[in-house]
Amino acid sequence: KAGVTQTPRYLIKTRGQQVTLSCSPISGHRSVSWYQQTPGQGLQFLFEYFSETQRNKGNFPGRFSGRQFSNSRSEMNVSTLELGDSALYLCASSPFVTGASNEQFFGPGTRLTVL
Amino acid sequence: QKEVEQNSGPLSVPEGAIASLNCTYSDRGSQSFFWYRQYSGKSPELIMFIYSNGDKEDGRFTAQLNKASQYVSLLIRDSQPSDSATYLCAADNSGGSNYKLTFGKGTLLTVNP
């Protein structure tokens, strides 16, 4: 079974631009969660989508948004990029809405650099 | 702000020794706790989770949970160089309606041959 895939793997943008990242979950998985990982803040939860609906949300500004399609693929959008948005963006999939017994499987990540 | 704290390390142990990784959490409502391993340049992978006080063993790994002390640990027995990685501890917020995991910043473990 193929794992979680994320595209693109690397991205360079300038301040003020916007960016869209894509995540395809493991086949049959309906939940996709997005995380931001930086050396200073570690791994931080952005939001989770299940059945095309945002179910859970972290503490990030409204510039960070996402959506999920009927085939469970998800996109994350960051508008008006700031230097501090430079990070590794990871998505994770699980069969159901994330819960105590649901293991999340992480994708390889998208490395975003904002200049 | 609910937090998960880990010693950033690096923690260095010789091959064959026991590596002990520690984690504390601030949210008393947390019910489940997770240990992830992340190799350099790779994505995190789940090692094990625990939700009951006491020990949970899986091969060379043992997770320990003490909810009264808000403390979680991971023991790696017979450490191997291939165990060298960053270990991330995470706690959930099962008591809330907006379920999410809060991660610590990770402990870098180096196992020396």
Side-chain angles (χ1 to χ4, degrees):
Chain A
K1 187 184 272 190
V4 179
T5 58
Q6 292 187 245
T7 57
R9 293 294 311 279
Y10 302 91
L11 207 48
I12 298 176
K13 292 286 188 178
T14 56
R15 279 180 298 174
Q17 288 187 307
Q18 76 165 21
V19 67
T20 299
L21 311 181
S22 180
C23 172
S24 292
I26 292 171
S27 178
H29 285 195
R30 297 168 60 193
S31 166
V32 174
S33 297
W34 288 91
Y35 293 85
Q36 181 195 66
Q37 188 172 36
T38 60
Q41 298 300 317
L43 193 60
Q44 294 184 287
F45 173 74
L46 281 154
F47 31 65
E48 177 184 13
Y49 284 86
F50 179 80
S51 293
E52 303 177 64
T53 302
Q54 187 180 91
R55 295 303 181 102
N56 300 298
K57 191 175 187 307
N59 300 320
F60 278 80
R63 298 186 297 108
F64 293 82
S65 63
R67 60 177 175 169
Q68 186 179 36
F69 302 94
S70 58
N71 62 357
S72 296
R73 188 178 70 86
S74 177
E75 289 183 346
M76 190 192 87
N77 185 275
V78 187
S79 63
T80 319
L81 284 166
E82 301 177 359
L83 294 178
D85 297 333
S86 294
L88 179 66
Y89 290 88
L90 293 159
C91 81
S93 78
S94 63
F96 307 105
V97 174
T98 303
S101 59
N102 290 335
E103 178 176 356
Q104 294 183 74
F105 296 85
F106 283 85
T110 294
R111 173 75 62 185
L112 171 64
T113 302
V114 182
L115 303 176
Chain B
Q1 180 81 359
K2 301 189 170 59
E3 295 181 340
V4 174
E5 301 283 347
Q6 294 182 255
N7 187 326
S8 62
L11 174 65
S12 184
V13 300
E15 184 175 354
I18 296 176
S20 178
L21 304 162
N22 305 314
C23 170
T24 60
Y25 59 95
S26 65
D27 182 6
R28 284 199 171 274
S30 294
Q31 298 293 316
S32 299
F33 306 88
F34 304 79
W35 283 101
Y36 284 82
R37 176 176 62 199
Q38 186 172 24
Y39 291 112
S40 179
K42 301 294 184 182
S43 54
E45 55 181 339
L46 182 67
I47 298 174
M48 58 194 308
F49 68 90
I50 185 169
Y51 51 83
S52 298
N53 272 329
D55 295 359
K56 179 181 179 182
E57 187 173 317
D58 184 1
R60 296 186 295 112
F61 299 93
T62 298
Q64 299 175 317
L65 173 60
N66 183 325
K67 289 186 178 180
S69 300
Q70 295 178 246
Y71 176 88
V72 191
S73 66
L74 180 70
L75 301 178
I76 306 175
R77 291 182 299 282
D78 188 23
S79 294
Q80 302 297 309
S82 59
D83 294 326
S84 297
T86 296
Y87 289 80
L88 303 171
C89 170
D92 74 3
N93 63 338
S94 293
S97 58
N98 185 25
Y99 185 89
K100 66 176 184 178
L101 295 184
T102 299
F103 284 81
K105 293 182 182 178
T107 297
L108 177 61
L109 171 66
T110 300
V111 180
N112 301 304

